[in-house]
Every structure is written in C-alpha cells, then in structure tokens.
C-alpha cells in the first residue's frame, strides 16, 4: 500500500509538471500574440486557459483522495499540501498569461507594445516562460536550491518591469495615456507570473528539505 | 477526541475570521492613506502586513497538525483544505492593501488620486473592505449563498474599476501619463482584492454545502 501511495504521489508530481508546461506554453503564445498583434493566437490562449483550470481541479481532487485514503503524516503530508498550493499558483500563472492575451485582443488591430519596448516585452515573456519550465523540472527532479535560483531570475524580471515603467513615464513618451496604462498592467502581469514561479519554487524546496535557499 | 477536533476546527475558523478583519482594516487604512496622501498611515499599513503573513502561517500549521493527528475524511477534510486555501487568499488581500499603501507612499507628497476620481476610489476601498468583513461573517456563520452575494457585490467593483479606466483614458485627461499608469494599477489592486473575497466565499460555500450559488 505504501508503494502504491508513493506511486500516487509521483503521479501528482507529474500532473503538476504538466501544468507547468501548459503555463509556459500559454505565456509564450500570449506574448507572441501580444508582440505580433495576432488576434487568433490571442483567442486560442484565452480558450485554452480552462485546460489549466481543469488540471488544477484534478490535482486537488487527487490530493484530497490521498489525504482521505492514506492519512499521510510528516514529509508525505507536507508534499501533498505543497502540491495543492503549487497547483493553485500554476493555475494563476495561466490566468496571467491569459491576461496578456486579452490585452493583445483588446488592442488589436493596433500593437499594444511600441517598437522601443518590444525588446523588453520579448525578454519578459521568454524569461517568464523559462521560469515556468524550470519549476516543472524542480517538481520532477530535485527542488533544493530552486528558490534561490528562481529568485535570482526574478531580479531580471523586476529590472525589465522597472524599465517598462520608466519608458512609459518619461517626458518624451509618444504613445498616449491609454497605451501607457495598458503597458503598466501588462508589465505587471509578467512580473506577477514570475512571482508565482518563485513562490512555487520556494514551497517545493521547503516541502523537500524543510528549508528555503536564499540569494 | 472528536469533540476536541471540532473545537480545533472552530478555532481555525476563528483565526480565519480574524484574518478577514485584518484585511478589511488594512484596506480601509491603505485607501485613507491614498486619498489623503498620509505618508505615516501608508507606512503603518506596509509594516503591519507581516501580521497577516504570520496569521496565515499559523493557520496552515494548525491545519497541517489537524491533518496529521486526526486524519479527517469527507466534510472535515474538505473544511481543512478550504481553510488552507482561504488563508492564502486572505493573506493576498493584505498584500493588495499594502500595494495601495505603497502607491500612496510613492506619490507622496502628491495625491495619487485626482479630485474627479476620489469618489470612485473611496467607493472601491469601502466596498472592498466591506467584502472582507462579510467573508469573515460567512466563515463564522453560514456560508450558503455567500458566493452569489459576494459575486453580486463584485459587479459593483468591476463597474467602478471600468469607470476609473475610462476616466484615465479619456481625451481630456489632464494629469499626465504617470498618474494614469499609477491609477490603472491602483484600480487593479482594488479589483483583485474583491476577486479574492469572491474566491473565498465560493470555496467556503463549496466546503459547507458541496455546491456553489451563482447569480
């Protein structure tokens, strides 16, 4: 029975890992839709978001049934509660990717991101999606040191976020108030996406080691 | 033992209820700091936020120990998992109130909210804080119907959020790009605060009744 229990736990990890892949892909596609003003792609991301919502529900049901049937304690209990926590954060990453896609849809056929900020937003999307992928690896492998690593990456995201805000509030900003307000929100969606990845890495590491690495 | 277990569950509910009170108070104070450009009050809200962080950790530890020691099933298990979920959401409400306070600090000695939007932001703060209080009542009382009720209130928040965004993107906006970008983010913090309250109400109702009321 314990062996089957640990098989169930491993399957829960695989479900979470797959959710990370979905979140990474959603962010990549949403950001491409944003940068190319691709309405159809934006709508695909928005429609696809319920896949992550359902995956999260499945994780939670699986966790609940493990708790009820196996009454785990100590490390196993910590792992299951961490899985529930992480599933919620990863679902939220999908929501934030969908917000990016929604902004692309809202501004279409115009481009939400002016040429001088394309580099910043390209990087924000790539780093964010990479963080989601990395969290998936931490879930399936060894989470130790993961928090410090993701936290370090998050500093790069914060710096890009600050660059975007600085650009839209400079005196020579030429694209008007609406574009600036949209971009402030968009930069925040990216920043929050990365924050969720850091939270997941922190929680995974704590569940695995009882400690959290810091930078 | 079961009696003491249900006493422990009731205490967990009281902890959550107290967290709602803290979140409501944080939002009231943050919004007052925002509308009166009160730097000291803003800083108090920011410093006070760790009280909610600690309260949430205490809830989670309490839940974990109940799971380990009592191995609850069915409704009791659902209640404990709901408590963990809600504690996280209520902590997030505190974070969002702190973001409002941070915006007040950032723009001080200037006022972040121009006169023509004071009414909208006053209402956003009052409704949000009232939702946090109401969620506290749902936790300590009967959660049935709570989701539909909070969801209805949330429509008012969404309408105010839309009014704020419409004002800052109108052609005659007279306060510049930086103020507009700040206000777009501020309106979003309020909207997200209300969203968390709705999530908590939904989860409470589901844990209590196995269903969710809709509007």
């Amino acid at each position: 029975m314990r062996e089957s229990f640990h098989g169930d736990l491993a399957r829960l990890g695989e479900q979470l890992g797959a959710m990370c892949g979905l979140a990474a892909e959603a962010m990549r596609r949403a950001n491409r839709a944003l940068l190319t003003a691709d309405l159809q792609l934006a709508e695909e991301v928005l429609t696809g978001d319920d896949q992550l919502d359902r995956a999260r529900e499945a994780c939670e049901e699986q966790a609940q049934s493990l708790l009820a049937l196996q009454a785990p304690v100590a490390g196993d209990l910590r792992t299951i509660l961490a899985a529930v926590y992480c599933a919620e954060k990863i679902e939220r990453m999908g929501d934030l990717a969908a917000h990016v896609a929604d902004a692309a849809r809202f501004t279409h056929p115009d481009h939400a991101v002016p040429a001088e900020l394309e580099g910043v937003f390209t990087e924000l999307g790539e780093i964010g999606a990479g963080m989601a992928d990395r969290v998936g690896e931490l879930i399936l492998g060894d989470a130790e040191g993961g928090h410090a690593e993701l936290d370090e990456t998050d500093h790069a995201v914060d710096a890009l976020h600050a660059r975007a805000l600085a650009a839209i509030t400079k005196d020579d900003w030429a694209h008007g108030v609406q574009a600036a307000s949209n971009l402030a929100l968009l930069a925040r969606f990216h920043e929050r996406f990365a924050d969720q990845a850091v939270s997941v890495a922190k929680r995974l590491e704590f569940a695995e080691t009882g400690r959290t690495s810091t930078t």
Side-chain angles (χ1 to χ4, degrees), chain A residues 96-113:
Chain A
L96 288 160
H99 289 334
V100 171
D102 204 28
R105 181 171 66 169
F106 182 73
T107 47
H108 182 270
D110 292 335
H111 283 240
V113 181

Side-chain angles (χ1 to χ4, degrees), chain A residues 63-116:
Chain A
Q64 192 157 333
S65 108
L66 285 174
L67 289 171
L69 297 174
Q70 306 279 356
V73 294
D76 290 338
L77 174 56
R78 218 157 56 203
T79 301
I80 293 176
L81 290 178
V84 172
Y85 177 92
C86 294
E88 206 267 327
K89 297 287 172 195
I90 303 164
E91 184 203 343
R92 179 85 195 119
M93 291 167 83
D95 292 340
L96 288 160
H99 289 334
V100 171
D102 204 28
R105 181 171 66 169
F106 182 73
T107 47
H108 182 270
D110 292 335
H111 283 240
V113 181
E116 71 264 34

